[in-house]
Amino acid sequence: MRAMAENMDLAAVQSALGQWFRQLGRDLPWRKDYIPYHVWISEIMLQQTQMERGVWYFKRWLTRFPDVGAVAAAGEQEILKYWEGLGYYARARNLHKAAKVMVELHRGEVPASYDILLSLPGIGRYTAAAIASIAFNQDVAVVDANVERIFARLYNMETPLRNREAKKRIQQLATELLPAGEARIFNQALMDLGGLVCIPKKPDCANCPLAGHCAALAAGTVAERPVVAAAGKTILITMATGVLEYDGLIFIQQRMADDVWGSLWEFPGGRMEAGETPEQTVVREYREETGFAVRVTGRIATVIHHYMQYKVILHGLYCRLDEELRVPELQAAQDFRWVTAQDLSSYGFPAGHRKLIKYMAESGADGIS
């Protein structure tokens, strides 16, 4: 691989990428003026999010939070609500924290320094490099999954990308290939090439500006590059949750800040134990999490959602108090509310619970009785 790196016509690759990007690069809202705040938000949103979906959320976000100060001044619950649907909610909480630091220490501006960016909550090496190069055109190479795939094919790498040495080598190659003073264009060109042409399956090699330089194409191994390590097993989790109604109001509780989906709201529930029915799980979980004695009155729906390597089957049921109303004894939450069905839309919920809320709204919540 070193020999190929030495023989690569770097100037030709740089020129081909730059020309291709200027003609065919994606027209994205944060590329209009390269405002650092816009670049920062886009980079955080696009982690684990498809581009089309990210653009929609980005535009909606800017309407409510036009600058760093607006993010810093907002409450955490509003931040989480606007993030609802993007998942990985630690990103939103860290973004909120970083905005406050920017207001306090950087006059409400996104700092240009790579090292300072790296010190902010939620900003790792990749994101710091992306902001520094795209927003401020600093000579820092950016390597994401798309860029790794390009280099694995360009240099016909036989080592799986999960290998630490492979990642280190790709970072070196990207740095060597980076043209001085053109990091903004070059890094985005690589990202777009990986997202539009050098895609995981059935890449469009015929229209790739780097086809003449691609070792994998020359060797006929494009379909085998990058080498993929064995995928991990999907872990199945079966859960049940209960929507508790009392006097026209619905009980919700707020998850602990350091929990999965931290600080989001939910209906109490949990994993089904061996031999339990969904109804039994809901009764047990309410008793354990709130101290409430409840009885199940009907079924809402069974929904499925995926989170990282987990496949979650969630049974939703309606329930009512089987005792007099009192203050709950929270064991797995930091706060609670009694809200109307219409108010549920004002709170941020995990994906499975959002699906249940949508189902209740569409069915008129007839199961509550």
Side-chain angles (χ1 to χ4, degrees):
M1 191 166 63
R2 287 182 180 277
M4 281 187 283
E6 292 171 359
N7 295 331
M8 181 75 70
D9 187 342
L10 301 186
V13 171
Q14 294 164 350
S15 176
L17 270 173
Q19 290 179 25
W20 177 86
F21 178 75
R22 290 181 175 88
Q23 294 175 6
L24 300 172
R26 288 178 284 204
D27 181 18
L28 300 172
W30 48 88
R31 290 177 177 172
K32 301 298 183 185
D33 301 302
Y34 291 109
I35 296 171
Y37 169 67
H38 294 182
V39 174
W40 170 46
I41 297 299
S42 71
E43 286 299 330
I44 301 298
M45 282 190 171
L46 289 176
Q47 296 169 13
Q48 307 295 330
T49 303
Q50 293 182 340
M51 180 64 73
E52 184 177 345
R53 185 176 180 83
V55 168
W56 184 88
Y57 273 93
F58 174 84
K59 291 179 177 178
R60 188 182 74 144
W61 181 275
L62 282 194
T63 300
R64 171 59 188 87
F65 307 111
D67 52 35
V68 173
V71 177
E76 183 181 83
Q77 282 305 302
E78 187 177 16
I79 294 292
L80 291 174
K81 182 60 185 175
Y82 270 80
W83 202 267
E84 187 182 52
L86 283 169
Y88 299 93
Y89 291 90
R91 292 183 295 167
R93 291 191 295 273
N94 282 329
L95 188 151
H96 194 206
K97 294 174 184 175
K100 292 181 178 181
V101 174
M102 291 177 194
V103 167
E104 182 179 355
L105 301 181
H106 305 289
R107 296 178 295 181
E109 300 291 340
V110 177
S113 165
Y114 172 86
D115 290 333
I116 293 177
L117 286 166
L118 201 56
S119 72
L120 295 172
I123 297 183
R125 293 184 179 277
Y126 163 79
T127 305
I131 297 171
S133 65
I134 296 172
F136 300 103
N137 201 31
Q138 295 181 15
D139 291 335
V140 184
V142 177
V143 177
D144 64 1
N146 284 328
V147 176
E148 287 182 339
R149 184 168 57 256
I150 291 171
F151 277 92
R153 288 170 174 163
L154 199 60
Y155 292 94
N156 198 23
M157 294 177 62
E158 299 178 358
T159 307
L161 292 183
R162 289 187 181 180
N163 182 281
R164 182 177 298 179
E165 287 304 312
K167 289 185 175 294
K168 181 179 179 181
R169 182 58 181 147
I170 288 175
Q171 187 68 53
Q172 285 181 318
L173 292 169
T175 299
E176 292 171 9
L177 197 55
L178 182 71
E182 297 182 31
R184 172 181 290 160
I185 297 300
F186 183 78
N187 284 334
Q188 289 182 110
L190 282 174
M191 293 177 190
D192 278 13
L193 188 69
L196 299 173
V197 177
C198 195
I199 56 180
K201 296 181 180 180
K202 297 182 179 179
D204 187 10
C205 297
N207 290 305
C208 178
L210 304 185
H213 307 276
C214 182
L217 182 60
T221 57
V222 171
E224 288 78 49
R225 302 290 182 266
V227 176
V228 179
K233 288 183 62 177
T234 298
I235 301 172
L236 178 64
I237 299 177
T238 304
M239 308 182 73
T241 189
V243 177
L244 174 62
E245 186 269 346
Y246 180 86
D247 197 22
L249 299 178
I250 295 172
F251 180 84
I252 59 175
Q253 62 182 19
Q254 186 180 25
R255 298 178 67 90
M256 297 294 191
D258 58 354
D259 202 352
V260 178
W261 304 301
S263 295
L264 292 184
W265 293 80
E266 66 177 0
F267 309 114
R271 292 195 187 195
M272 292 174 56
E273 296 183 354
E276 277 189 333
T277 65
E279 289 80 3
Q280 290 169 331
T281 299
V282 166
V283 171
R284 175 180 56 77
E285 287 287 343
Y286 261 93
R287 183 176 63 252
E288 293 175 354
E289 294 186 10
T290 68
F292 285 156
V294 304
R295 57 185 171 86
V296 173
T297 60
R299 285 177 173 261
I300 305 170
T302 297
V303 300
I304 297 175
H305 68 100
H306 297 267
Y307 175 73
M308 299 178 67
Q309 74 271 37
Y310 300 100
K311 176 182 178 180
V312 182
I313 299 175
L314 178 64
H315 299 283
L317 299 98
Y318 294 111
C319 56
R320 293 181 67 89
L321 280 174
D322 210 18
E323 61 178 349
E324 294 296 319
L325 179 64
R326 58 183 175 83
V327 177
E329 302 165 6
L330 298 180
Q331 300 297 318
Q334 58 177 304
D335 200 0
F336 74 94
R337 297 278 192 280
W338 288 96
V339 301
T340 65
Q342 292 73 28
D343 286 339
L344 290 173
S345 62
S346 300
Y347 295 83
F349 286 85
H353 292 240
R354 287 202 315 276
K355 290 180 180 179
L356 292 177
I357 292 170
K358 181 179 180 181
Y359 186 92
M360 290 189 293
E362 291 174 348
S363 63
D366 293 333
I368 297 180
S369 59

